[in-house]
Amino acid sequence: MATPLSATKLLAVLKAEGCKVVEYRSWRTHNRNSKGAWGPVNGVMIHHTVSSGEDSSVALCYNGHTLLPGPLCHTVGGKSGKLYMVSAGRANHAGSGDGDVLRAVINETALPADNQANTDGNSRFYGLEIVNLGNGKDTYPATQYDAAVRWAAAICRAHGWGAASVIGHKEWQPGKIDPHGPVEGRGPFNMTAFRRDVAERLKNAASWSSGSTPSTPDTAEDPMAGMTKQDIYEAVWRTDAITAPATATDRATNKTWEPQSYLKDIGNRVRSMDSRLAAQSAAITELTRTVTQLATNSESLDADALVHRIEQAIEAIDIRLEVTS
Ligand SMILES: [Zn+2]
């Protein structure tokens, strides 16, 4: 259980961590405290804004929009490396997420999959919105990433938390993908690596200045490290654009085909074709043998006997008709 930092204290710890902080408008008193709890706080959460432009992104996070009133986070991380303070209270950034994840953050244990949306995160997490389109192509400059690491480390340090108190929005709320996209010099934004970088800072004094150098290459050993199942699904399937049923018949009979449905169906059809081909081959082989025998022995053709022999030949092979669609 931790009491949220005051605006003054929050500003002080960020500056002590070497953050370039900009105080935006009435950020100290701009909050959603009248709409719900702010605290006890248990961790920090990293987001991307799905926007571009530093000034407009900061204004958006301060004001919010028609569907979601601001503030939309506590701090906005610009591509310049500057951190803009937009709130020191409850903010609309985390929404409802997984209570199991919150418990893991509180205990600083390994994160479970986020498969529930049963717990208010806006009372529990400080939020950083990093300016990025979130399209998987927009790069986070190294200076912007370093500022985010410092921001998270400063708050963890102030509360006595470890790096396991840092999560990405994608690790909190089902369906979220942020933070997402390439980080300059590092590969895909990777929360495991991000926590490692926060942990590295926390081992040192707040004034430590070497935090911008990656401690280890994030992608050299395992390019999938830190990716969630959702990330992988998005990368592999959605971008292949084969999630919708291909034919009118498919759409009519099964409106919820997933990519794996196509794979299973193709597999079934191939096995079925194998079986039918084997049956045809057996029939032709038996027919050839019979005709040869008839010709050799100058016997007369008994049609019923011929059909029977072909049927037996087909039954003798291992036929697996598995088409179930
Ligand atoms: Zn988010």
Side-chain angles (χ1 to χ4, degrees), residues 233 237-238 242-245 254 256-263:
Y233 181 87
W237 295 117
R238 294 218 190 281
I242 58 167
T243 53
N254 187 344
T256 59
W257 273 38
E258 293 287 320
Q260 62 177 340
S261 308
Y262 284 85
L263 286 181

Side-chain angles (χ1 to χ4, degrees), residues 46-48 93 129 169 176 178:
I46 308 298
H47 305 260
H48 61 223
H93 70 98
E129 285 281 0
H169 196 188
K176 295 294 178 181
D178 58 326

Side-chain angles (χ1 to χ4, degrees), residues 194-219:
F194 188 86
R195 279 186 282 271
R196 198 160 61 224
D197 292 326
V198 171
E200 194 66 25
R201 282 208 69 82
L202 291 175
K203 277 191 237 160
N204 295 276
S207 57
W208 188 53
S209 59
S210 313
S212 59
T213 308
S215 48
T216 46
D218 295 338
T219 55

Side-chain angles (χ1 to χ4, degrees), residues 89-117:
R90 181 181 172 91
N92 272 331
H93 70 98
S96 291
D98 195 317
D100 297 328
V101 171
L102 178 62
R103 273 184 285 283
V105 169
I106 291 171
N107 296 324
E108 300 204 323
T109 52
L111 295 175
D114 53 331
N115 50 24
Q116 297 179 92

Side-chain angles (χ1 to χ4, degrees), residues 4 55 66 75 82 123 135 144 150 156 162 172 201 210 245-246 248 272 287 292:
D55 293 345
T66 49
T75 308
K82 289 180 186 164
S123 64
N135 60 4
Q144 185 186 32
R150 287 172 188 266
C156 288
W172 168 248
R201 282 208 69 82
S210 313
S272 168
L287 188 59
T292 305

